[in-house]
Amino acid sequence: MQQFRGLRSTLLLAALLPPCAFAGSPSAAPTVEERVEKLLAQMTIEEKVGQLTQYSGSGAVTGPVSFEGDVRHSNHRELLESGRIGSMLNVTGTNATRQYQEVALRSRLHIPLLFGQDVIHGYKMIFPIPLAEAASWDLEGIERSARIAATEAAAGGVHWTFAPMVDIARDPRWGRVMEGAGEDPWLGSRIAEARVRGFQGKGPGDLTAVMATAKHFAAYGAAIGGREYNSVDMSLRTLWEIYLPPFEAAARAGADSFMNSFNDLNGIPATGNAYLLNDILKGRWGFTGIVVSDWGSIGEMVPHGYARDLEQAAQEAITAGNDMDMESDAYRNHLAGLVAQGKVPLARVDDAVRRVLRKKFELGLFDDPYRFIDPERERAVLNDPSHRKAAREMADRSIVLLRNSPRVLPLDVKGRTVAFIGPLAKAGKENHGGWAVSLPDVDYERFVTTPFDALRARLPQGTRLLYARGCSVQGEDRSGFAEALDVARQADVILVSVGEDWTMSGEARARAHLGLPGVQEDLVKELHALGKPMVVLIGAGRPLIFPWISENVPAILYTWWLGTEAGDAITDVLLGDVNPSGRLPITFPRSMGQIPLYYNHLNTGRPAPGDAAKEYTTGYIDEKNVPRYAFGFGLGYTTFEYSGLRLDRKELRGDGKVRASLEVANTGGVAGDEVVQLYLHQKVASVVRPVKELKGFRRVHLAPGERRRVEFEIGREELSFIDMALHRVTEPGDIEVLIGASSEDIRQRAEFSLLD
Ligand code: GLC
């Protein structure tokens, strides 16, 4: 049994060395650490606490605000001028950030502000919501998307994004599933790394980069019942095996900050959870960046029942390792007193302040507090045409084709009449989805093209396009059905665009019913009864449950919220200019009763092979065991064949690797991308292993008839798991290699033995 220490011990050593160990030679320019120490030595306790205090400006408010308004509000101004605020969020644009920075620099030590913003999937150019981007399985594209978001945000004066959200989510009732990368720790880790790299670019000081934030630490996605802000209760082994890997990946990728989560974990709020913050993040992972609380989460330890009042909340948070207080007033009102009373060691406050000052020095803000504030650069960057092209490509790759039989797509519309019906057919800015920054001076009517307008602009001569709304997303009003049916009767093919409202997913948007809201499904049924070729497009920020549509409508496209370029990307796929290649990053259940349902489940002692349980095997008497659509599933306009899986060895020992290779062929008539997925299953171990775990994938583009060998390497990292002692280990045993087009569609199998 091998235990994994590896990177952690290196990081731990680095964290233990005193700052002076990094001092340069006396003649060289002072190092960041030396500059931090020099400034720290001049600061009063109130000024130190000021660096640990963050308030919201008047941008998107995402929680109970301590103060109304913006820099013109007397509260902010006085606090800023007296150095009592170290960071603002929801202040964007070169104009607003300059205003705030000017006021803050009047403080005694002229310490510049850090500007933070939720740049989650774009700043001005909005990319698909993160869950949709995860469906692209395109790590380069995801990194590029974050890179562009960072470039735009930095041009807008933003230093720090509160992204990537890396919460594993197995429960689609939870509204924030839209912000993450789905249910899988391995895919979630690779995407976390790509997003951190994209946001942080060449690192602090890069004028196209922002500090990234791995959030929400930790296990927020496991809220009981999928209910927002609810408790989380799980074994530490599950925490380490399923929920922590993307955070560890983000830390390894050099994330500059972490944000803790609102939930309590096994009875201790994450904001005051020393096991998470001190032991794991700052201890084992050697994290030297900033830990910022979530909005008011320090103060929320009072209603949690973990602190009797705001003063104790401040003490619990700072002691547990939380560095900055977003919007709870706890640090500003109580931290100095706690130090004076000896309840909080000054050394802990100094450590937190060092972490903040270090970033401000690294960003170059002390040398030039306005270096990110250049209106000319802002104008040029925010109108860079290459950004729209990247957003279109990512939207194209995020669309998932769930069904196309009998074949309706791509549309053959020359000389025909198309009816485009439904409440989302003319969705414009709604396609930005949740957590999209709204910039005051953008004309979104012109900036965003609806699917209807995009399709109309690209239909061949002689093709007619008709429209009817039919109904709204929510509500019982069927008065639009008659018009929709009239329009559909004139058409040769019917497109119906339905789903959630974009406001139905995201924070504080948990849903107990995941069907199509309102009367949308009734509209689809009545249109379907006309007996014409039909395509249903579903826009949502999460998996929905739509059994009748799944079983009766020949063509189904899952279009999530695809961002600014949604209209043209949907048109690309409808017309066949793009062959859809999205694969689900999260399981779609058949019914609510199956939730939580995920692919990497354990076998149990009474497994139920096939899709339904036999008597006395695991399952339900009134529902199948399998999902509606499996993790990793997605169709396209061509077909792929897998053959010839070979392993270069049947036994593995030491630090060797097994090389698995197979041939993938495009056996259809059009070029396309296939996501070849590698799953492993250790048959026997000291803790039961999941029936399969994703440990690699290759996205390959193949022309019609083209064949290519695809290779994977399997080593200790891929074979390791968390044992009962919470160590990452490997154990000897037989390993199944399962390679497929989805977690349910395994095309090739092989086996090898791990000998030590
Ligand atoms: C919110 C969210 C968090 C966000 C923060 C600032 O409540 O939980 O993800 O970054 O507040 O907007």
Side-chain angles (χ1 to χ4, degrees):
M1 173 157 78
Q2 279 202 20
Q3 294 193 358
F4 269 58
R5 296 289 174 224
L7 180 75
R8 279 197 205 124
S9 49
T10 313
L11 286 171
L12 192 57
L13 177 65
L16 294 176
L17 289 173
C20 61
F22 302 100
S25 61
S27 59
T31 64
V32 164
E33 295 310 326
E34 289 164 340
R35 296 178 77 181
V36 166
E37 293 309 316
K38 184 161 179 267
L39 178 54
L40 191 66
Q42 301 170 55
M43 296 171 75
T44 65
I45 182 66
E46 287 76 16
E47 288 165 335
K48 291 177 179 178
V49 171
Q51 290 306 301
L52 309 183
T53 299
Q54 180 183 67
Y55 285 119
S56 171
S58 52
V61 170
T62 56
V65 182
S66 306
F67 294 110
E68 293 306 323
D70 56 23
V71 73
R72 289 178 294 282
H73 194 289
S74 64
N75 282 306
H76 283 167
R77 180 180 295 282
E78 286 154 18
L79 294 174
L80 288 164
E81 285 172 341
S82 56
R84 309 289 296 280
I85 298 179
S87 172
M88 293 297 297
L89 72 145
N90 296 331
V91 174
T92 45
T94 52
N95 181 37
T97 50
R98 176 174 289 279
Q99 276 187 47
Y100 268 88
Q101 202 64 286
E102 283 171 351
V103 175
L105 290 171
R106 291 184 207 141
S107 58
R108 183 177 76 89
L109 292 171
H110 318 297
I111 299 176
L113 285 171
L114 269 181
F115 292 108
Q117 180 67 51
D118 293 286
V119 183
I120 308 298
H121 52 111
Y123 177 73
K124 176 181 177 189
M125 184 57 64
I126 301 299
F127 286 77
I129 57 171
L131 187 62
E133 280 199 341
S136 73
W137 295 55
D138 175 4
L139 297 179
E140 283 175 25
I142 289 169
E143 181 171 345
R144 183 171 54 248
S145 156
R147 188 87 287 280
I148 289 169
T151 303
E152 292 192 349
V158 174
H159 305 129
W160 183 11
T161 180
F162 303 129
M165 185 272 220
V166 300
D167 298 309
I168 293 292
R170 292 171 150 177
D171 189 331
R173 291 172 292 182
W174 188 52
R176 304 198 74 164
V177 69
M178 58 79 68
E179 289 177 65
E183 73 187 49
D184 182 69
W186 194 90
L187 180 62
S189 299
R190 302 296 79 75
I191 289 176
E193 291 159 350
R195 287 187 168 140
V196 168
R197 285 194 305 267
F199 285 129
Q200 297 191 166
K202 302 186 192 76
D206 172 359
L207 280 177
T208 70
V210 291
M211 290 171 23
T213 307
K215 73 182 187 183
H216 305 82
F217 195 60
Y220 183 13
I224 293 168
R227 200 178 85 218
E228 183 60 288
Y229 311 127
N230 202 6
S231 297
V232 170
D233 202 276
M234 65 176 65
S235 72
L236 293 183
R237 210 188 64 75
T238 297
L239 175 71
W240 276 97
E241 182 133 281
I242 302 296
Y243 292 88
L244 290 183
F247 287 102
E248 183 167 7
R252 282 183 174 188
D256 284 319
S257 73
F258 267 59
M259 180 184 290
N260 53 45
S261 53
F262 290 121
N263 58 283
D264 61 82
L265 172 62
N266 300 340
I268 299 181
T271 305
N273 196 309
Y275 175 64
L276 287 175
L277 300 176
N278 283 340
D279 297 356
I280 297 174
L281 179 59
K282 295 183 175 179
R284 288 175 70 163
W285 296 348
F287 178 69
T288 58
I290 301 170
V291 175
V292 62
S293 77
D294 201 340
W295 190 297
S297 69
I298 294 177
E300 289 173 12
M301 286 199 278
V302 175
H304 266 295
Y306 193 66
R308 67 181 167 281
D309 55 26
L310 202 57
E311 180 182 25
Q312 186 192 354
Q315 180 180 359
E316 296 294 349
I318 192 78
T319 307
N322 187 90
D323 299 314
M324 188 179 280
D325 172 4
M326 179 192 288
E327 274 288 347
S328 81
D329 273 344
Y331 284 8
R332 184 169 67 82
N333 286 319
H334 299 290
L335 204 43
L338 287 163
V339 170
Q341 298 165 52
K343 290 181 177 176
V344 169
L346 178 59
R348 172 63 194 106
V349 172
D350 285 350
D351 167 60
V353 176
R354 277 195 188 93
R355 291 167 183 267
V356 175
L357 295 180
R358 185 177 296 137
K359 291 304 168 196
K360 293 184 175 183
F361 276 111
E362 288 173 352
L363 286 167
L365 294 178
F366 281 97
D367 304 319
D368 176 4
Y370 302 103
R371 64 191 303 263
F372 286 84
I373 301 175
D374 174 346
E376 270 318 297
R377 183 172 67 232
E378 182 179 46
R379 213 182 333 278
V381 168
L382 296 196
N383 294 292
D384 181 336
S386 69
H387 297 178
R388 190 176 285 273
K389 179 173 177 296
R392 171 91 164 264
E393 281 171 9
M394 182 47 81
D396 283 337
R397 294 178 164 211
S398 301
I399 295 172
V400 183
L401 177 60
L402 296 176
R403 181 174 167 175
N404 192 24
S405 63
R407 193 179 177 90
V408 176
L409 289 171
L411 296 177
D412 171 14
V413 290
K414 200 163 175 52
R416 305 175 71 194
T417 298
V418 179
F420 205 159
I421 293 169
L424 298 183
K426 291 193 171 182
K429 187 167 179 287
E430 299 86 343
N431 279 312
H432 281 179
W435 289 109
V437 183
S438 279
L439 301 179
D441 48 0
V442 174
D443 171 2
Y444 284 102
E445 282 298 310
R446 295 183 52 237
F447 186 63
V448 185
T449 307
T450 71
F452 178 83
D453 287 341
L455 181 61
R456 181 171 55 182
R458 292 169 54 190
L459 283 175
Q461 282 297 339
T463 302
R464 272 201 319 153
L465 181 63
L466 307 175
Y467 167 76
R469 182 175 172 79
C471 66
S472 296
V473 168
Q474 303 185 70
E476 300 304 311
D477 179 2
R478 288 171 167 74
S479 60
F481 279 30
E483 181 203 14
L485 287 163
D486 283 348
V487 163
R489 285 191 192 94
Q490 303 168 55
D492 302 302
V493 60
I494 305 170
L495 311 179
V496 198
S497 186
V498 293
E500 292 182 312
D501 274 326
W502 70 270
T503 54
M504 296 177 81
S505 59
E507 183 177 356
R509 300 290 188 273
R511 289 182 62 195
H513 307 280
L514 293 178
L516 282 178
V519 295
Q520 298 178 100
E521 185 165 288
D522 296 344
L523 175 65
V524 173
K525 285 179 179 174
E526 294 202 20
L527 292 167
H528 180 268
L530 299 175
K532 297 173 182 251
M534 175 185 265
V535 181
V536 167
L537 301 93
I538 299 178
R542 59 175 14 118
L544 295 181
I545 295 175
F546 40 95
W548 190 91
I549 289 172
S550 298
E551 288 156 14
N552 293 281
V553 175
I556 304 169
L557 284 172
Y558 219 72
T559 57
W560 311 102
W561 298 114
L562 293 169
T564 305
E565 282 297 280
D568 272 305
I570 288 169
T571 300
D572 288 339
V573 168
L574 287 173
L575 298 182
D577 296 340
V578 165
N579 181 352
S581 57
R583 299 288 184 271
L584 296 178
I586 189 168
T587 298
F588 276 50
R590 299 172 55 84
S591 56
M592 293 297 295
Q594 292 180 302
I595 294 171
L597 181 69
Y598 42 89
Y599 86 92
N600 51 352
H601 60 83
L602 306 185
N603 204 34
T604 78
R606 296 192 176 188
D611 63 3
K614 306 286 179 285
E615 198 175 22
Y616 300 116
T617 62
T618 183
Y620 306 93
I621 60 169
D622 58 356
E623 180 53 280
K624 293 186 176 182
N625 268 346
V626 293
R628 173 67 63 188
Y629 303 108
F631 173 83
F633 174 77
L635 301 172
Y637 295 153
T638 189
T639 50
F640 295 95
E641 211 167 73
Y642 294 39
S643 61
L645 174 58
R646 288 198 306 263
L647 305 183
D648 70 347
R649 68 192 69 188
K650 291 302 242 185
E651 294 180 341
L652 176 65
R653 65 172 73 246
D655 288 335
K657 304 249 186 191
V658 171
R659 281 172 186 74
S661 74
L662 73 154
E663 192 162 79
V664 180
N666 179 343
T667 48
V670 293
D673 287 14
E674 175 67 338
V675 180
V676 183
Q677 299 159 41
L678 166 70
Y679 296 91
L680 299 179
H681 170 228
Q682 178 148 358
K683 290 181 166 180
V684 177
S686 62
V687 283
V688 176
R689 307 306 310 134
V691 294
K692 59 175 79 80
E693 296 175 278
L694 180 74
K695 294 294 181 182
F697 69 88
R698 295 285 183 275
R699 194 188 158 99
V700 292
H701 179 81
L702 297 173
E706 185 181 358
R707 320 177 71 80
R708 187 175 308 162
R709 281 210 82 74
V710 176
E711 285 202 359
F712 295 96
E713 283 198 341
I714 302 163
R716 296 282 158 184
E717 183 88 27
E718 289 74 24
L719 294 166
S720 67
F721 60 90
I722 302 293
D723 70 4
M724 285 309 285
L726 303 184
H727 294 140
R728 181 164 286 282
V729 302
T730 56
E731 290 177 0
D734 294 336
I735 311 292
E736 282 187 299
V737 178
L738 310 163
I739 296 182
S742 85
S743 58
E744 295 268 312
D745 180 6
I746 299 302
R747 305 282 184 88
Q748 296 279 296
R749 297 171 183 271
E751 204 165 300
F752 68 91
S753 298
L754 181 60
L755 300 181
D756 60 3

